[in-house]
Amino acid sequence: MNLNLTKPICFFDLETTGVNISKDRIVEISILKVFPNGKEDSKTWLVNPEMPIPKEVIAIHGITDADVADKPTFKELAKEIYNMIKDSDLGGFNSNKFDIPLLAEEMLRADIDFDMKNRVAVDVQTIFHKMEQRTLSAAYKFYCNEELEGAHGAEADTRATFEVLKAQIAKYDEIENDTKFLAEFSSRKQFADFAGFIAYNKKGEECFSFGKHKGKLVTEVLETEPGYFGWLLNADFPLYTKKVLTAIKLRNFNNKLG
């Protein structure tokens, strides 16, 4: 079956130096771009992370420092990667919680203003966990009745993710073949930032979801405790979270002027 698309969707997978969104770096990225007419375009890059890859991480994905020593940095690849995804929705496996936030950090470090304003994200893992509670290898076996050869390789995982999503749509009557539906179905609690530090309340207002101001409106905290904004910008928070906070502060300032 073909996905019912109104615009391209890029399925992607990252292999990284670790799982810290703020500090870790990409060592491999694979993108499978699927167009509304069914055409596919795929590309995989090895990336020099400009930092050592821990041994325990190498044991998972098999990419060593020597493998990436002569490869381009993400900053050198950023424009090419962005040009491939800029007109597309995004899809992945655990992508809402990890791959998209980390990709956003790398893009912002490369001075590319990446955001999700005009796109949606389909997280195949969330659909899978809501329906079956398994891992990607088990999902591939369950939905596609095949063993996943080359698991933890970005290209194999990316292709498997795409195949699993198509099988999920075919299997479950309640899952619509529509990117917007899939994005909403695969989303968890709604956050203004990728890392989950700023959540929306029932009224759609941004609130802090951590620390001493947990549950309080961001605009109210920044108004009553202006020094908190400076602390947040200088603390070890993801760049995208800082970008969102700055936008909220500027929006509030402009509203006052209006």
Side-chain angles (χ1 to χ4, degrees):
M1 67 168 295
N2 292 322
L3 293 182
N4 183 18
L5 303 175
T6 56
K7 64 191 293 188
I9 181 168
C10 284
F11 293 91
F12 77 104
D13 185 70
L14 307 177
E15 302 302 335
T16 66
T17 59
V19 295
N20 186 306
I21 300 298
S22 300
K23 296 180 179 179
D24 281 305
R25 301 291 189 268
I26 295 170
V27 298
E28 185 181 31
I29 177 170
S30 185
I31 300 175
L32 172 64
K33 187 170 186 176
V34 183
F35 294 85
N37 64 3
K39 176 189 171 186
E40 298 177 10
D41 184 20
S42 65
K43 190 150 188 182
T44 300
W45 298 265
L46 281 172
V47 184
N48 185 336
E50 301 180 275
M51 65 182 291
I53 306 172
K55 290 181 180 179
E56 60 270 23
V57 178
I58 294 173
I60 295 173
H61 55 52
I63 300 171
T64 66
D65 292 331
D67 292 331
V68 296
D70 61 346
K71 302 302 179 183
T73 65
F74 188 88
K75 190 165 188 176
E76 291 170 326
L77 293 169
K79 286 185 180 179
E80 183 182 359
I81 293 170
Y82 181 73
N83 285 337
M84 189 170 183
I85 68 173
K86 65 182 180 181
D87 63 342
S88 306
D89 293 325
L90 298 178
F93 198 86
N94 194 33
S95 49
N96 285 355
K97 294 179 70 176
F98 181 71
D99 297 83
I100 291 175
L102 186 54
L103 180 64
E105 290 300 293
E106 291 277 35
M107 286 290 183
L108 291 171
R109 278 192 288 267
D111 299 319
I112 292 179
D113 190 18
F114 177 87
D115 61 45
M116 295 292 292
K117 288 179 182 177
N118 297 313
R119 70 177 100 225
V120 297
V122 178
D123 193 329
V124 176
Q125 186 194 61
T126 303
I127 297 174
F128 185 38
H129 284 181
K130 283 185 175 182
M131 308 305 289
E132 302 295 345
Q133 304 288 314
R134 295 289 200 283
T135 63
L136 177 55
S137 294
Y140 194 60
K141 176 67 174 176
F142 182 87
Y143 289 109
C144 304
N145 197 29
E146 294 182 32
E147 298 295 335
L148 178 52
E149 301 292 337
H152 295 301
E155 187 170 354
D157 287 357
T158 298
R159 168 63 62 178
T161 298
F162 174 50
E163 297 298 336
V164 166
L165 177 60
K166 291 192 292 182
Q168 286 173 330
I169 296 168
K171 181 176 178 65
Y172 303 113
D173 291 338
E174 60 266 45
I175 295 182
E176 298 176 17
N177 189 353
D178 175 80
T179 308
K180 185 176 180 182
F181 172 87
L182 293 168
E184 291 174 353
F185 188 83
S186 64
S187 68
R188 296 179 187 270
K189 185 175 180 181
Q190 294 298 308
F191 294 98
D193 66 329
F194 294 132
F197 290 110
I198 306 169
Y200 290 111
N201 63 17
K202 292 181 179 179
K203 296 181 180 179
E205 302 166 314
E206 298 99 341
C207 297
F208 287 109
S209 61
F210 71 99
K212 65 179 182 179
H213 294 306
K214 185 176 181 179
K216 296 180 181 177
L217 292 176
V218 173
T219 51
E220 291 183 0
V221 172
L222 297 184
E223 180 75 22
T224 59
E225 194 176 332
Y228 194 60
F229 178 72
W231 175 80
L232 289 168
L233 290 190
N234 290 312
D236 188 22
F237 287 97
L239 294 175
Y240 197 88
T241 300
K242 295 177 182 180
K243 174 185 173 180
V244 170
L245 284 167
T246 301
I248 294 171
K249 185 176 178 67
L250 288 173
R251 185 187 68 205
N252 196 41
F253 178 75
N254 290 332
N255 287 342
K256 286 182 180 179
L257 291 179

